[in-house]
Amino acid sequence: MEAFRTLLACPACAGDLAADWACLGCGARHAAPDGVPALRLAADERTETVRRFYEHAPFPGYPPRDSLDWLRARAERSPFARLLDRSIAGDARILEMGCGTGQMSLYLARADRVVIGADLTRASLALGAAAARRFGVSGVRFVETDLAAPGLREGAFDLVYCSGVLHHTPDPRASFRHLVRLARPGGMIVLGLYNAYARLPLRLRRAVGRLSGFRWIPFDPVLRDRAAEPERRAAWLRDQYLHPEEHRHTHAEVLAWFRANDVDYVRAYPSTVLGDDPEDLFTPAADNWGPEAWLAQLGWMRSLGPEGGLFVMVGRRSGSSIPAAIGPT
């Protein structure tokens, strides 16, 4: 547990935490109900609205008969998940910010990796922690916290992974600034966001769905695949069609975030470079030509649009050279 606690901090003053979760700096005392530290300060009303939204229906949830083999097989249906796992060293310190119910954190917690799954919704974290116990995964711990005042050690992580989160915050650009500080100099940042172009098909489906009170939504492959899993189907419906806070972003916009926060651009996934199929997610793309990136995003309406239009941007926090812990094993 000590290895995990050194990656956490008091959300009020960033001080070290004792074994009983008391802050050694300001003296604040934090609880850890069911083994999940509560390191979250009071948030603004928009953030609280999002937290309550996920408390009501944790996303994405687990099926009735799950297992570690099921989780890994499900994750590895995604070429991106396989590529991410292959690109991370076996002894990396990983933060998944906005982990939801923890599937990716559990998937990445193999070899000697230390994984922190952080989220602001305790109901989601409870499901992740229960799954970790059920599956016998010891390399991950879950923590309740918020990006606005994270109970996490600045500069402590080799990899900060944050997917499907910033576009649900009141100010995604400001949230990104907080996120960057958690990566060590030279550490990697993997950011998944709704793309402004690739999200258009779902927005059209949402407009049609509103006409029927969301009883009928055409051409959604995820809802179709989850027809026999009503709870997971309902979670997808709420997350994608009824969310109270949503923003959409372009490749050029996120590049501007990178530049403003001293993050070196590495690549996008899917790639914005024609014919680029990386073997390592952390190897820089051959180039970054604006018109080619714009055309790639138009193509994402077809390739990414059916499942919500999420794209990934990868960057490296500026600083010292990368030690072996970042590269693949």
Side-chain angles (χ1 to χ4, degrees):
M1 191 61 185
E2 181 65 24
F4 293 95
R5 195 170 67 250
T6 60
L7 299 175
L8 307 180
C10 174
C13 74
D16 294 336
L17 298 171
D20 63 354
W21 304 109
C23 177
L24 299 176
C26 67
R29 303 193 70 84
H30 306 283
D34 300 319
V36 177
L39 303 177
R40 183 174 63 86
L41 303 181
D44 62 86
E45 183 53 35
R46 287 169 67 181
T47 300
E48 279 297 307
T49 297
V50 172
R51 186 189 65 80
R52 290 192 295 267
F53 177 84
Y54 284 116
E55 285 283 355
H56 179 73
F59 183 81
Y62 291 84
R65 291 177 295 277
D66 59 12
S67 66
L68 184 57
D69 287 342
W70 164 84
L71 184 143
R72 287 176 173 167
R74 180 176 176 272
E76 288 172 359
R77 283 160 43 191
S78 163
F80 170 76
R82 296 196 306 269
L83 179 60
L84 176 63
D85 180 50
R86 187 168 68 239
S87 301
I88 303 171
D91 59 351
R93 296 162 299 171
I94 301 168
L95 167 66
E96 182 182 9
M97 191 70 212
C99 66
T101 53
Q103 278 90 337
M104 183 61 87
S105 292
L106 289 164
Y107 173 65
L108 295 177
R110 52 177 98 199
D112 294 322
R113 294 171 183 164
V114 175
V115 181
I116 297 291
D119 202 273
L120 55 76
T121 306
R122 179 157 285 272
S124 298
L125 294 164
L127 290 177
R133 292 191 295 270
R134 193 163 63 248
F135 300 160
V137 177
S138 61
V140 62
R141 291 291 187 277
F142 293 96
V143 58
E144 180 186 2
T145 196
D146 179 14
L147 257 178
L152 300 159
R153 177 74 53 211
E154 288 194 5
F157 296 93
D158 298 312
L159 170 70
V160 174
Y161 174 72
C162 182
S163 185
V165 177
L166 297 195
H167 52 235
H168 292 319
T169 64
D171 187 343
R173 185 181 182 116
S175 296
F176 179 72
R177 187 166 61 249
H178 292 298
L179 190 75
V180 169
R181 295 171 184 161
L182 301 172
R184 64 165 178 78
M188 305 305 299
I189 297 163
V190 178
L191 187 66
L193 295 162
Y194 289 149
N195 182 261
Y197 300 98
R199 189 71 172 166
L200 284 172
L202 189 136
R203 295 176 69 192
L204 291 172
R205 295 197 297 269
R206 183 162 53 198
V208 173
R210 286 195 181 107
L211 298 176
S212 66
F214 295 101
R215 288 183 292 273
W216 179 71
I217 301 173
F219 311 119
D220 187 313
V222 179
L223 288 178
R224 184 174 62 246
D225 290 347
R226 295 185 179 184
E229 300 178 68
E231 289 187 4
R232 295 184 70 233
R233 186 183 187 279
W236 176 262
L237 176 66
R238 280 176 52 81
D239 185 73
Q240 295 294 304
Y241 294 94
L242 302 172
H243 205 287
E245 184 88 45
E246 179 182 312
H247 306 270
R248 296 161 297 276
H249 309 279
T250 65
H251 185 270
E253 178 187 2
V254 182
L255 276 178
W257 296 358
F258 279 21
R259 287 192 293 268
N261 290 278
D262 294 323
V263 175
D264 299 324
Y265 174 70
V266 174
R267 64 168 54 253
Y269 188 93
S271 181
T272 55
V273 178
L274 186 65
D276 180 34
D277 187 16
E279 290 294 320
D280 183 345
L281 191 65
F282 303 151
T283 299
D287 56 47
N288 180 33
W289 187 40
E292 189 175 20
W294 180 77
L295 288 172
Q297 290 173 95
L298 293 181
W300 292 349
M301 283 192 285
R302 181 174 181 179
S303 60
L304 301 180
E307 295 195 3
L310 192 84
F311 79 118
V312 172
M313 295 277 279
V314 181
R316 179 179 292 118
R317 187 178 182 186
S318 296
S320 60
S321 61
I322 311 166
I326 277 293
T329 51

